[in-house]
Amino acid sequence: MKNFISTENAEYNLKIATIEDAQLIITFMKKLGTYQKMEEAITATPERIKRLLKDKLGEAIFGIYKEKIISFAYFHQKSSAFSGRKGLYIDAFFIDECVRGKGLGKIMFQYLSKYAIDRECEYLEWVCLGWNKQAIKFYERQGSYCVDNLKIYRLSPDNLSLNAKKFTQN
């Protein structure tokens, strides 16, 4: 099975997501949204996720423990004009609460690190909510550091359109 990757834990394997997994990605995004107290922020649809996967704008993996899917990561490649390097950005990372502390998240994180290196990336990056002390401790144990002088800004689809309409050319 080419979409399955064995790990050091014989009971835990990783599965590379396919377009057919779009609904499962949405299911895990909703779990993550609930955990982060941001359920309303999850507006992705299976059609949108299928498009992202098809266009290779995003990728996902699932963790399967004792034949049950219990973990998930969604990520994509990015680059930095500051450093001139390319990296991998983890947009979503979630481990079911019932299996936290078993080292499964660490295995998934190690896989993402190896995958980044295999893709000739020089960094792995993500955001974490400030109140999520458990996740912060986990990330710091992996050797990460916080770039806390940045704030994330985003234009919504409506404001993106409004700004685009204001652009004129001679």
Side-chain angles (χ1 to χ4, degrees):
M1 295 185 172
K2 78 176 198 179
N3 283 351
F4 287 87
I5 300 159
S6 61
T7 73
E8 64 190 45
N9 182 329
E11 296 181 303
Y12 185 62
N13 295 297
L14 303 176
K15 177 191 180 294
I16 298 169
T18 65
I19 292 171
E20 291 77 29
D21 293 315
Q23 183 58 56
L24 186 56
I25 290 170
I26 298 290
T27 299
F28 269 87
M29 286 305 303
K30 288 182 179 181
K31 286 182 178 188
L32 178 61
T34 299
Y35 176 76
Q36 293 179 330
K37 302 172 182 79
M38 299 173 56
E39 301 92 355
E40 70 285 345
I42 309 302
T43 60
T45 64
E47 294 74 28
R48 288 179 183 167
I49 296 297
K50 285 179 184 178
R51 184 187 72 226
L52 294 173
L53 295 172
K54 179 179 171 274
D55 293 346
K56 304 213 182 295
L57 296 173
E59 302 174 70
I61 58 170
F62 298 101
I64 303 167
Y65 181 64
K66 296 183 178 181
E67 300 183 22
K68 183 179 178 199
I69 299 173
I70 53 81
S71 59
F72 155 81
Y74 181 88
F75 53 95
H76 58 84
Q77 194 161 319
K78 67 178 289 189
S79 63
S80 169
F82 277 87
S83 67
R85 295 177 173 160
K86 67 180 180 178
L88 210 60
Y89 181 80
I90 303 171
D91 188 49
F93 188 87
F94 184 80
I95 309 294
D96 279 343
E97 191 171 356
C98 64
V99 293
R100 290 186 194 146
K102 294 185 179 293
L104 306 178
K106 180 176 162 185
I107 292 170
M108 182 175 273
F109 200 82
Q110 290 168 344
Y111 170 79
L112 289 169
S113 296
K114 182 182 179 329
Y115 187 75
I117 295 290
D118 290 347
R119 298 262 306 257
E120 299 179 354
C121 295
E122 296 179 78
Y123 64 91
L124 191 59
E125 187 173 75
W126 60 93
V127 298
C128 183
L129 295 169
W131 60 260
N132 194 346
K133 303 301 183 201
Q134 182 180 8
I136 291 168
K137 287 178 185 174
F138 169 79
Y139 295 136
E140 288 175 347
R141 283 193 305 268
Q142 309 318 305
S144 70
Y145 62 94
C146 179
V147 181
D148 61 344
N149 59 342
L150 300 173
K151 291 187 182 254
I152 298 172
Y153 291 87
R154 180 177 294 153
L155 286 173
S156 67
D158 291 341
N159 287 329
L160 179 65
S161 292
L162 287 172
N163 274 293
K165 288 175 185 174
K166 292 176 184 176
F167 177 77
T168 59
Q169 286 183 295
N170 288 333

